[in-house]
Amino acid sequence: MAQGILAIGELNEDSSLASVTGEVLAVARKLAGATGAQVSLVLLGKNASQRTKEAIALGADKVWVSEAEVLHENQIEAHLAALAQVCKAADPQVIVAGKSLFGRDLAPRLAFRLRVPLMQDCIDVNTDPATKRVVAVRPVYGGNANARVASPVDPQFVCVRPKIFEALPPNPSRRGEVVQAPVSVDASVVKVKRVRRVKEEATGVKLEDARVVVSVGRGIGGPENLPPFQDLAKALGAALGASRPVCDAGWLDHSFQVGLTGKTIAPEIYLTWAISGASQHLAGCSAAKNIVAVNRDPNANIFKEAKYGVVGDWKKVLPSFTATVKELVGS
Ligand SMILES: Cc1cc2nc3c(=O)[nH]c(=O)nc-3n(C[C@H](O)[C@H](O)[C@H](O)COP(=O)(O)OP(=O)(O)OC[C@H]3O[C@@H](n4cnc5c(N)ncnc54)[C@H](O)[C@@H]3O)c2cc1C
């Protein structure tokens, strides 16, 4: 009989634990709290076994690891085949994955392989006290409504939105079991070959990890107006973000996009300039602790979400705002 919760962990390129791993473990522990189920984590890839202690400290009772060479490059087909094998061996009642860049590609395919429904993009996950089954909440209609969803079959597969759930504080005294994952994947399953790796130029703070984000919308008018916002971001030690039209128009690359079809972020301060606050944009920043908005339209939707707002033309507000920031931080 299926039992326990299996969380799907991820490693960064340098084999460190990806932040989404702590988040899926926190979700798994939350679900386990209601049923007393065991929480397992699967970690696949280069040097995975060096991360097991960290994973146990973050909430895993058991870690399935495999460092098979075919899993070293994050090739989706290889990981998919390996995860299907681990799921078969672990026979979990619940699977938790993160909707990271990798996870959003992987989870639907894995669900299909397992022939189970996928509860995708969940922002809350609970256990029904009566049935002891998972009830998840996911935004629908572009974030305009939330649906409560459940799966009638095991494994109940939830894929959670990143940056919504906080990893548990690491507890180094936790003890857990480490087992070799029964993975046998032939290199021929990999149909996509990486011919070249181009590293994105790392300038400044990474959007996903930034404590402060300065984000620009279509209302800034064009790419020629970006420099003063980049200057403000630099003065604040912030990352730059953008709404979708800014990226669609090519003013900034899509890696800057915040929202439903962009990145999900949870900074301390999200400072928006000339962004209207469409639900699809808010889907990516609603976990921000403080939203600050500058918009010339007093009825702009962003003001409904903002803690602080300035109704005004950014061209008038930005110079004095940046000057004050520079004065305060002494740069
Ligand atoms: C399936 C789907 C997915 C989507 N995914 C995303 C997503 O991931 N991210 C995203 O951002 N959008 C997404 N969108 C698009 C979304 O619906 C909005 O169209 C978009 O967010 C609007 O971007 P914006 O606020 O920059 O532009 P606009 O809606 O055009 O707003 C511009 C704002 O700038 C203000 N403004 C203009 N000039 C000035 C000035 N001089 N000073 C101050 N304020 C000024 C205006 O008052 C206005 O509020 C998606 C849409 C769909 C259908």
Side-chain angles (χ1 to χ4, degrees):
M1 198 179 107
Q3 57 182 345
I5 301 169
L6 181 69
I8 298 177
E10 288 184 37
L11 295 170
N12 294 317
E13 257 184 49
D14 61 358
S15 296
S16 58
L17 220 52
S19 56
V20 72
T21 306
E23 297 169 27
V24 291
L25 277 171
V27 172
R29 284 252 66 99
K30 181 181 178 191
L31 293 172
T35 57
Q38 185 189 55
V39 170
S40 304
L41 178 80
V42 51
L43 267 187
L44 306 175
K46 199 173 177 183
N47 300 326
S49 51
Q50 290 176 16
R51 299 296 163 203
T52 52
K53 263 193 189 158
E54 234 174 296
I56 291 167
L58 285 168
D61 299 319
K62 179 174 178 176
V63 188
W64 300 80
V65 285
S66 173
E67 296 188 358
E69 207 175 331
V70 70
L71 303 167
H72 285 196
E73 297 274 327
N74 265 358
Q75 287 287 4
I76 195 90
E77 295 101 336
H79 278 252
L80 184 61
L83 283 168
Q85 291 167 5
V86 175
C87 288
K88 199 167 166 215
D91 193 17
Q93 201 179 8
V94 178
I95 301 174
V96 183
K99 197 186 158 215
S100 58
L101 273 182
F102 191 63
R104 70 175 63 183
D105 225 6
L106 184 110
R109 297 176 192 218
L110 183 59
F112 179 76
R113 290 249 172 139
L114 301 174
R115 300 286 191 268
V116 293
L118 177 66
M119 294 174 264
Q120 175 72 290
D121 196 23
C122 301
I123 55 167
D124 196 12
V125 177
N126 290 294
T127 304
D128 184 315
T131 62
K132 302 278 182 252
R133 295 189 70 78
V134 175
V135 179
V137 176
R138 58 181 301 264
V140 290
Y141 303 119
N144 286 309
N146 284 337
R148 279 159 54 87
V149 291
S151 168
V153 292
D154 289 343
Q156 302 156 78
F157 195 169
V158 289
C159 187
V160 296
R161 187 180 282 191
K163 307 282 178 198
I164 296 286
F165 301 90
E166 262 181 56
L168 299 170
N171 175 0
S173 64
R174 287 194 85 252
R175 294 281 165 265
E177 186 190 353
V178 178
V179 287
Q180 279 305 315
V183 166
S184 165
V185 178
D186 192 275
S188 64
V189 301
V190 177
K191 300 283 184 272
V192 180
K193 218 180 199 161
R194 183 175 290 150
V195 287
R196 198 159 61 103
R197 185 191 289 268
V198 182
K199 214 164 183 180
E200 196 185 322
E201 244 178 81
T203 45
V205 194
K206 211 172 156 199
L207 179 57
E208 298 92 312
D209 302 331
R211 290 185 64 242
V212 183
V213 174
V214 171
S215 204
V216 293
R218 177 157 40 200
I220 69 158
E224 65 283 4
N225 293 326
L226 281 169
F229 294 102
Q230 286 159 332
D231 187 37
L232 172 63
K234 198 172 162 205
L236 281 168
L240 193 67
S243 68
R244 181 164 155 174
V246 169
C247 302
D248 282 351
W251 303 350
L252 282 170
D253 182 78
H254 274 283
S255 58
F256 289 86
Q257 186 184 319
V258 173
L260 190 66
T261 43
K263 289 183 175 163
T264 308
I265 56 172
E268 293 290 324
I269 302 175
Y270 188 57
L271 187 48
T272 72
W273 296 85
I275 288 181
S276 59
S279 59
Q280 295 89 352
H281 184 80
L282 295 172
C285 60
S286 55
K289 308 279 178 301
N290 300 285
I291 297 180
V292 183
V294 180
N295 195 305
R296 70 179 177 192
D297 174 6
N299 298 314
N301 196 51
I302 191 78
F303 289 127
K304 289 189 190 145
E305 301 296 321
K307 194 162 184 181
Y308 304 101
V310 178
V311 178
D313 190 322
W314 68 264
K315 288 185 191 130
K316 289 202 181 118
V317 182
L318 184 64
S320 52
F321 190 90
T322 306
T324 309
V325 166
K326 285 186 176 175
E327 215 178 288
L328 289 172
V329 300
S331 70

